[in-house]
Amino acid sequence: MKKTKVNLFTGFLGVGKTTALRHLIANRPAHEKWAVIVNEFGEVGIDGAALLNDELAVAEIAGGCLCCVAGPQMTATVATLLRREKPDRLLIEASGLAHAAGVIDELRAKPLGEALEVAAVLTLVDPRQFIQPDYHRQPLYRDQISIADVLVANKIDTADIPTMEAFRQQAAALFPPKSLVGEVRDGQLDVAWLDAELAAKPRYRPAVLPDNTSAWQSAGWTFDPELNFDGERLTRLFDDLPKRIPGLVRAKGVFRVLDSWVWLNWAAGQWGAAQVSWRRDSRFELIAPAFEAEQVEAWLKECLE
C-alpha cells in the first residue's frame, strides 16, 4: 500500500508558518493531492481559515498543542483525512507552542505509521531571534530547532547583514547538522524542500575543520532511526573513549535509546547527556589526532540492541 507523505511545520509564534504554507499550497504540483491540518493553541482556530482552498481538504485542531492536550484528536483527525481524502501528501502546521518531537513519535507509531511516511520536518525561524541566546535557553525553542530536517530563516528582509552572517554561522554549527538551511522572505519556500533527503548514509564527513586544526582527523556515522542503542553500553563507551583514543578532542552523538532520544557530548575531559527532539537518525561524530574509523564503527555497532 502506498503511504501518504507527511511534512510537519514548526516554528515559534509569529514566525510566518501559515504564510509559508499558503505559498506552498499555491505552488503544489498539479498531479499531487494534498491535505492540511492546522493546530492552534487557542480554542478558536484562525490559521485554518487562512488556508482554506476549494481544491484542498483543511482540518483544524484547536485548544492545545498536538503533542499533549490535542494528541488523541490528532490521531483521529489524521485517520479521518486519510480515509476520506486519500491524499498524496499531508501538511501539518503545529502550534508555535508545540513540542514537535512527540508529534513525530505519534505519526510513526501504529496505527498512523502504517499509512504515513514521515518526510522532512521544516522549522521556520526569525533570524533576529535565532541569534539571540535568550531564545536558545528556552527548551521549546531548542526542541523546534533540533527536530528540523530543513531549517528556514524567514523574514530575511527585516534582518541586517551582520544578523544574517551570524545566523549562517550558527546554523552551520548545529549538531546534528540539517539536511538543508534556507533563507526566504514572505514565506516563499521551495516546494522541493518537502522532499529534502533524509536517507542516512553509513558514514558522513562533517564540515571541514579550520586550517589551524589540520592535524586532527574527523569522521561521523549515521544509523537508521528504527535502530535502538543500549544505554549502558553507550555509557561505558563514552567513559572509555579517552583511553581508547589518545588525544581525543571531541565526541558527540544523538542516539535512540529505549525509544527515547538522547544527546551525548564529550569535551574538555567531561561528558554529559540530555534528551533531545531529534528523530531523523542516530549519529556520532569524532575528532582526534588519529583513530581507526573501522574500529570506532565496530564499537558503535556493539552498542546496538
Side-chain angles (χ1 to χ4, degrees):
M1 181 182 72
K2 182 181 177 182
K3 292 188 175 184
T4 295
K5 291 184 178 180
V6 56
N7 296 94
L8 181 66
F9 288 79
T10 72
F12 216 53
L13 297 169
V15 79
K17 296 188 298 298
T18 302
T19 300
L21 273 175
R22 291 182 66 181
H23 177 79
L24 285 173
I25 290 167
N27 291 276
R28 68 182 172 89
H31 65 280
E32 285 192 8
K33 184 177 183 180
W34 288 8
V36 178
I37 293 177
V38 179
N39 171 226
E40 295 192 66
F41 197 79
E43 294 292 342
V44 179
I46 303 298
D47 292 346
L51 295 170
L52 284 179
N53 182 304
D54 291 339
E55 300 178 359
L56 207 65
V58 179
E60 289 184 328
I61 299 176
C65 82
L66 290 172
C67 50
C68 47
V69 178
Q73 187 181 350
M74 184 192 77
T75 301
T77 302
V78 170
T80 299
L81 267 181
L82 294 180
R83 183 174 60 252
R84 187 182 67 205
E85 302 294 335
K86 296 180 174 57
D88 299 302
R89 187 182 301 275
L90 174 63
L91 310 180
I92 300 179
E93 178 189 346
S95 159
L97 299 176
H99 290 273
V103 181
I104 294 296
D105 288 339
E106 190 164 349
L107 292 173
R108 281 184 173 157
K110 293 182 179 180
L112 296 182
E114 297 173 326
L116 294 173
E117 174 190 342
V118 177
V121 176
L122 284 76
T123 296
L124 272 66
V125 297
D126 184 326
R128 297 168 299 178
Q129 297 173 348
F130 185 84
I131 66 171
Q132 298 298 323
D134 286 347
Y135 277 87
H136 288 270
R137 294 190 186 103
Q138 300 179 43
L140 174 62
Y141 195 83
R142 293 199 306 270
D143 285 351
Q144 293 176 348
I145 302 302
S146 177
I147 196 68
D149 295 308
V150 177
L151 180 70
V152 181
N154 192 24
K155 304 182 178 181
I156 62 172
D157 51 315
T158 64
D160 57 22
I161 293 175
T163 295
M164 292 308 302
E165 290 177 346
F167 165 78
R168 292 168 190 140
Q169 291 176 357
Q170 293 182 29
L174 290 172
F175 183 85
K178 304 307 176 189
S179 291
L180 187 151
V181 176
E183 300 174 12
V184 301
R185 62 182 68 196
D186 301 322
Q188 295 181 3
L189 306 186
D190 188 332
V191 175
W193 294 352
L194 297 175
D195 290 316
E197 181 61 52
L198 301 183
K201 298 178 181 178
R203 186 178 301 163
Y204 73 93
R205 291 289 172 182
V208 176
L209 295 169
D211 291 340
N212 63 352
T213 62
S214 57
W216 294 344
Q217 178 182 345
S218 66
W221 295 261
T222 60
F223 297 85
D224 190 277
E226 302 303 319
L227 295 175
N228 255 311
F229 283 78
D230 182 279
E232 292 185 2
R233 294 176 202 165
L234 279 175
T235 297
R236 287 196 296 269
L237 175 60
F238 269 72
D239 282 338
D240 293 344
L241 274 177
K243 293 178 285 186
R244 297 188 187 189
I245 303 178
L248 179 66
V249 175
R250 188 74 186 272
K252 55 186 177 180
V254 177
F255 302 93
R256 180 177 179 175
V257 178
L258 294 177
D259 293 324
S260 65
W261 293 76
V262 295
W263 172 72
L264 302 180
N265 180 42
W266 189 98
Q270 295 181 324
W271 70 274
Q275 287 195 327
V276 293
S277 300
W278 178 261
R279 294 295 191 273
R280 180 145 57 94
D281 50 32
S282 293
R283 54 179 57 206
F284 176 74
E285 184 175 296
L286 184 68
I287 301 174
F291 56 86
E292 293 293 332
E294 291 74 15
Q295 181 62 69
V296 175
E297 188 167 337
W299 293 339
L300 291 167
K301 289 181 176 178
E302 289 172 359
C303 296
L304 287 167
E305 288 189 338

